[in-house]
Amino acid sequence: MGKLANETAKAELGRATWKLLHTMTLRFPEHPTSDERSALASYMHLTARLYPCGECAAEFTELLRKFPPQTSSRLAASLWLCSVHNEVNARLKKPTFDCAHLDATYDCGCGPDDDKDSSASSLSS
Ligand code: FAD
């Protein structure tokens, strides 16, 4: 695979991964149990450990060390991931994303009945 194809594949993998991670934090319970909190933190650490792009994995591992996952609520987890993504954006000289727009950007297509925590259906509630 040539350099351009490599960069395209790396970018596609990045977009898909960010989409999954952001959508997951935006559906994380508003009042998570300790088991749910540790599951989310483990998921992030395992993603960093197993991420297929080595440079990205090293970057994510270092970011997790500097900014440990915030898992106390949906809002805390969503804003934490948004700011970590912005750290990666800054390193790659991409624009900063306004974290106030998270709710409008990520829709999982799941109905309200699927919400893991029916007491809260959006970031702002
Ligand atoms: P992406 O950064 O992929 O973002 C996709 C979409 O998410 C954007 O179009 C925007 O709508 C939205 N978005 C942007 N910022 C935020 C935010 N802060 N919060 C919420 N939504 C947002 N690539 C490298 O070349 N080197 C690396 O070291 C590297 N490290 C990475 C580490 C991780 C953990 C991941 C998941 C990816 C990494 N990547 C890395 C890939 C890189 O971050 C991008 O995914 C890729 O370059 C494609 O960029 P993009 O401009 O399409 O937007």
Side-chain angles (χ1 to χ4, degrees):
M1 204 189 260
K3 192 168 186 314
L4 186 61
N6 275 340
E7 288 303 315
T8 304
K10 184 162 70 173
E12 270 175 20
L13 177 66
R15 275 190 290 276
T17 303
W18 286 123
K19 172 102 175 164
L20 173 64
L21 295 180
H22 287 296
T23 308
M24 194 180 302
T25 58
L26 283 155
R27 297 287 288 190
F28 190 62
E30 190 57 42
H31 304 288
T33 62
S34 60
D35 184 51
E36 287 165 333
R37 291 185 64 175
S38 93
L40 184 63
S42 298
Y43 193 98
M44 296 298 169
H45 286 286
L46 288 171
T47 299
R49 198 166 137 192
L50 299 172
Y51 198 77
C53 150
E55 169 203 359
C56 313
E59 159 90 343
F60 197 33
T61 300
E62 180 58 15
L63 285 170
L64 290 176
R65 197 185 57 74
K66 275 166 71 179
F67 309 106
Q70 301 296 301
T71 62
S72 60
S73 68
R74 173 179 299 183
L75 182 63
S78 302
L79 292 180
W80 167 80
L81 186 64
C82 188
S83 79
V84 166
H85 191 165
N86 274 333
E87 292 285 332
V88 175
N89 289 342
R91 199 170 76 88
L92 299 178
K93 302 192 170 27
K94 291 177 190 282
T96 299
F97 182 90
D98 182 351
C99 297
H101 295 149
L102 278 174
D103 246 358
T105 309
Y106 296 95
D107 178 358
C108 71
C110 333
D113 292 348
D114 291 343
D115 197 327
K116 293 223 172 67
D117 179 2
S118 54
S119 67
S121 59
S122 77
L123 192 58
S124 49
S125 60

